[in-house]
């Protein structure tokens, strides 16, 4: 008899993991507390309506045979388009000419993955809310509609039930389980820019738009229907500018006209969107171990990170890819070994992307608008052009390669120290094209050897 595998959570990570495990010939069941949202127009529970897929995500989708299916629903974004306070915009490419991140609707992506999981033979159980997991007995207790309850035993339980994971709550009661959560000072609200009256995109669709304003920012990602989904990141409380200072429609209008006037002109539904859409919090969660008995945490359940590197889902997809690689190597009867190897191998990497995501917030809000930062980026781009294999910028390592996050983090720190030194030259704006680029590279290579 095939082993019964329970995946808790039919979100992005749970559904992809379902496809992988089914392909390994297992009896896979996915449970989610929500009703099947594929039949509903919109149900994102306050989470971002669109997101960016990058290399790690694509690699995992490709191995599961889903790349083409997903690709059809994406829009490439080749760089950031920065909007300053005066409405002037300038473009910062993300990488080389053909390198892009891809905007996709969360609902569409999740629906494609669920459809494919079902087609592969995964059994879906919607409206099954996990109330409790007995990790010692591998048993899950659900509440189901009409106030009923249900319990089920499994060979393996995979917790892909997001940042507020019920499996993780059960594991927390085990001996020596480490757990840390942090809400950051900022929250976010989703807004939108509709198509123009003649049905076109109101801005360049092949860029991720950013309005950086120091301690806060607005971003916009394109949708297939020619609209943009905007996300306002703002402190919840602050003396100057914060959500709690935007008390009525007039405050919102004045705020947008002052800081994002060009966007404001494109947002006819701003005031209703602002009032109707909830303000959501951003949480960072680290925990360890990820496995107890035959239970394992993956995706946000194991490592929820802030969204400023666009890597939460991508890292969760990479979890699926790595876990599947270990199952391929050790088989489907060595769960202890597979889970142990997975957590040991993966934890330093998710810790690294968690730190990088926190750091990138500062970069997106503040530094991208600084002229010296632009020169720094140009120097980095030139180094990458001259030495494509020896100098890969940190953003590119994270976004366009599958170099381990921890390695990218370490190399990124060395590059940062070397570039900090280069940027100390007060005449760098005039000199940057004629620097001794070999010497800069040598500095990083020497630091690596130390
Ligand atoms: C504003 C914002 C923007 C983002 N943008 C990006 C981006 O551009 N790129 C990127 O890579 N990542 C991005 N992310 C991160 C990404 O959204 C998450 O990393 C990703 O959704 C994690 O997927 P998951 O399946 O682990 O968890 P979730 O998507 O949270 O799914 C968990 C599932 O479990 C179910 N569930 C929860 N509790 C229970 C229970 N008790 N019983 C049964 N079912 C349960 C839920 O209903 C849900 O379906 C962003 C996040 C935010 C907040």
């Amino acid at each position: 008899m095939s082993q019964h595998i329970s995946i808790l959570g039919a979100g992005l990570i749970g559904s992809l993991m379902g496809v992988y495990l089914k392909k390994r010939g297992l009896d896979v069941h996915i449970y989610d507390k929500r009703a099947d949202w594929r039949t509903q127009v919109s149900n994102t529970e306050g989470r971002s309506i669109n997101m960016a897929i990058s290399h790690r995500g694509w690699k995992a989708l490709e191995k599961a045979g889903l790349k083409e299916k997903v690709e059809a629903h994406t829009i490439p974004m080749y760089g950031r388009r920065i909007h300053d306070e005066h409405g002037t915009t300038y473009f910062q490419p993300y990488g080389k000419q053909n390198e892009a991140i891809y905007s996709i609707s969360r609902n569409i992506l999740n629906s494609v993955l669920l459809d494919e999981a079902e087609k592969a033979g995964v059994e879906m159980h919607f409206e099954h809310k996990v109330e409790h997991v007995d990790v010692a007995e591998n048993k899950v207790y659900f509440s189901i509609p009409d106030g009923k309850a249900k319990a089920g035993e499994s060979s393996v339980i995979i917790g892909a039930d997001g940042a507020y994971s019920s499996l993780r709550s059960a594991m927390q009661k085990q001996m020596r389980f480490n757990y840390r959560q942090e809400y950051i000072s900022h929250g976010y609200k989703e807004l939108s820019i509709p198509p123009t009256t003649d049905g076109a995109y109101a801005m360049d669709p092949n860029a991720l738009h950013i309005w950086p304003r120091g301690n806060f920012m607005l971003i916009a990602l394109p949708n297939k229907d020619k609209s943009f989904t905007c996300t306002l990141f703002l402190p919840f409380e602050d003396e100057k500018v914060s959500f709690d200072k935007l008390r009525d429609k007039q405050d919102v209008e004045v705020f947008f006209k002052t800081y994002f006037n060009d966007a404001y002109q494109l947002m006819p539904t701003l005031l209703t969107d602002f009032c109707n859409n909830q303000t959501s919090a951003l949480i960072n969660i680290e925990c360890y171990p990820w496995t107890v008995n035959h239970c394992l945490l993956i995706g946000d359940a194991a490592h929820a990170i802030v969204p400023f590197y666009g890597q939460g889902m991508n890292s969760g997809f990479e979890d699926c890819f790595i876990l599947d690689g270990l199952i391929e190597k050790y088989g489907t009867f060595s769960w202890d070994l597979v889970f142990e190897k997975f957590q040991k191998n993966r934890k330093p990497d998710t810790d690294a992307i968690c730190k990088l995501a926190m750091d990138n917030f500062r970069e997106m809000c503040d530094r991208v608008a600084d002229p010296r930062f632009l020169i720094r980026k140009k120097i980095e781009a030139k180094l990458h052009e001259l030495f494509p294999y020896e100098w890969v910028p940190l953003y590119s390592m994270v976004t366009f390669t599958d170099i381990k996050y921890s390695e990218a983090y370490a190399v990124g720190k060395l590059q940062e120290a070397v570039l900090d030194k280069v940027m100390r030259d007060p005449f760098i704006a005039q000199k940057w094209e004629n620097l001794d680029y070999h010497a800069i590279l040598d500095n990083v290579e020497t630091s690596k050897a130390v």
Side-chain angles (χ1 to χ4, degrees):
M1 267 241 317
S2 170
Q3 299 175 75
H4 183 288
I5 312 288
S6 292
I7 297 180
L8 313 182
L12 299 169
I13 311 309
S15 44
L16 179 61
M17 199 64 233
V19 174
Y20 271 118
L21 292 175
K22 192 68 212 177
K23 288 190 172 198
R24 298 262 161 233
L26 298 161
D27 176 21
V28 184
H29 296 252
I30 300 185
Y31 301 88
D32 204 285
K33 63 181 177 185
R34 292 186 279 166
D36 189 348
W37 52 91
R38 288 171 294 179
T39 54
Q40 297 163 15
V41 183
S42 164
N43 183 357
T44 52
E45 290 202 329
R47 288 158 319 147
S48 78
I49 298 166
N50 56 9
M51 37 221 314
I53 309 182
S54 53
H55 177 78
R56 294 167 205 268
W58 285 125
K59 192 175 156 191
L61 290 167
E62 190 167 27
K63 190 180 181 200
L66 304 178
K67 188 173 176 202
E68 279 75 30
K69 291 243 158 52
V70 172
E71 223 162 24
H73 302 283
T74 62
I75 300 169
M77 300 179 288
Y78 294 98
R80 298 164 169 159
R81 184 159 288 281
I82 312 294
H83 296 242
D84 72 14
E85 273 103 337
H86 311 291
T88 309
T89 74
Y90 43 99
F91 184 73
Q92 287 175 11
Y94 276 132
K96 293 189 219 131
Q97 228 172 19
N98 59 344
E99 285 176 328
I101 57 176
Y102 293 79
S103 176
I104 187 165
S105 141
R106 177 192 282 273
N107 262 358
I108 290 176
L109 177 56
N110 208 161
S111 300
V112 170
L113 296 178
L114 284 176
D115 288 347
E116 293 305 312
E118 258 179 351
K119 266 191 231 160
V122 172
E123 272 193 52
M124 304 300 313
H125 307 268
F126 291 102
E127 298 183 89
H128 277 62
K129 180 169 189 257
V130 181
E131 295 293 350
H132 171 63
V133 183
D134 184 336
V135 290
E137 297 294 328
N138 271 10
K139 210 164 171 187
V140 187
Y141 296 84
F142 301 97
S143 57
I144 54 174
D146 302 325
K148 293 190 185 129
K150 187 174 154 184
E153 228 171 279
S154 302
S155 320
V156 162
I157 300 169
I158 297 197
D161 48 349
Y164 304 95
S165 167
S166 52
L167 175 58
R168 195 186 60 233
S169 299
M171 284 183 171
Q172 273 174 255
K173 297 185 183 95
Q174 303 296 302
M175 278 258 284
R176 306 188 66 225
F177 186 90
N178 286 319
Y179 176 72
R180 199 175 78 84
Q181 76 167 49
E182 183 189 353
Y183 282 103
I184 65 164
S185 54
H186 289 61
Y188 71 96
K189 192 185 275 288
E190 306 241 304
L191 302 164
S192 89
I193 292 181
T196 60
T197 42
D198 45 2
Y201 281 106
M203 305 183 293
D204 171 10
N206 294 120
L208 190 154
H209 293 259
I210 310 186
W211 291 258
R213 297 293 181 262
N215 190 31
F216 58 97
M217 67 175 165
L218 179 71
I219 66 167
L221 275 75
N223 296 310
K224 278 278 186 187
D225 67 359
K226 305 234 159 81
S227 67
F228 286 84
T229 301
C230 306
T231 313
L232 172 66
F233 293 98
L234 194 64
F236 277 101
E237 295 139 15
D238 190 78
E239 276 166 28
K240 286 192 196 134
V241 182
S242 56
F243 278 115
D244 74 343
K245 292 274 183 304
L246 302 178
R247 292 191 195 97
D248 54 31
K249 288 187 174 177
Q250 203 191 340
D251 290 345
V252 175
E253 205 162 6
V254 170
F255 171 70
F256 269 79
K257 277 186 178 165
T258 309
Y259 294 106
F260 310 118
N261 193 37
D262 61 332
Y264 172 77
Q265 305 301 332
L266 307 173
M267 301 170 94
T269 55
L270 170 69
L271 297 178
T272 31
D273 289 349
F274 201 95
C275 297
N276 293 343
N277 298 352
Q278 70 187 68
T279 306
S280 304
L282 292 167
I283 195 167
N284 187 69
I285 291 174
E286 292 166 53
C287 67
Y288 201 77
W290 292 346
T291 179
V292 174
N293 200 14
H294 279 182
C295 303
L296 178 75
L297 300 169
I298 59 171
D300 274 18
H303 47 79
I305 61 176
V306 292
F308 306 114
Y309 229 113
Q311 286 295 311
M313 166 195 68
N314 285 292
S315 64
F317 282 173
E318 197 174 50
D319 286 353
C320 301
F321 179 91
I322 291 172
L323 188 55
D324 184 64
L326 290 166
I327 296 170
E328 196 170 358
K329 190 165 174 191
Y330 298 106
T332 52
F333 288 94
S334 312
W335 296 110
D336 290 339
L337 179 67
V338 166
F339 290 176
E340 189 54 30
K341 292 235 174 233
F342 175 73
Q343 64 171 3
K344 282 244 164 72
N345 171 320
R346 192 70 179 139
K347 173 73 171 148
D349 292 322
T350 57
D351 285 350
I353 191 58
C354 162
K355 279 189 247 165
L356 288 169
M358 286 285 207
D359 293 350
N360 215 41
F361 178 55
R362 212 42 36 248
E363 176 162 326
M364 287 178 82
C365 265
D366 196 8
R367 297 180 69 208
V368 286
D370 177 353
R372 287 180 66 79
F373 176 78
L374 299 184
I375 292 169
R376 193 179 172 116
K377 281 280 161 199
K378 284 182 183 165
I379 296 172
E380 270 216 283
K382 185 149 182 182
L383 279 160
H384 189 33
E385 188 189 311
L386 291 172
F387 316 109
Y389 301 107
E390 294 87 347
W391 184 295
V392 183
L394 175 60
Y395 184 85
S396 298
M397 285 190 275
V398 169
T399 311
F400 303 125
T401 78
D402 56 5
I403 294 172
K404 284 168 77 62
Y405 287 127
S406 52
E407 202 179 307
Y409 181 85
V411 173
K413 284 285 163 208
L414 298 178
Q415 291 175 340
E416 187 184 327
V418 168
L419 283 179
D420 282 350
K421 224 161 148 189
V422 172
M423 293 303 295
R424 265 183 229 138
D425 184 336
F427 301 106
I428 193 69
Q430 292 80 43
K431 286 162 66 178
W432 75 267
E433 279 178 285
N434 302 313
L435 297 170
D436 182 350
Y437 279 91
H438 276 99
I440 298 176
L441 179 70
D442 285 349
N443 277 337
V444 172
E445 294 302 320
T446 315
S447 314
K448 273 187 197 165
V450 174

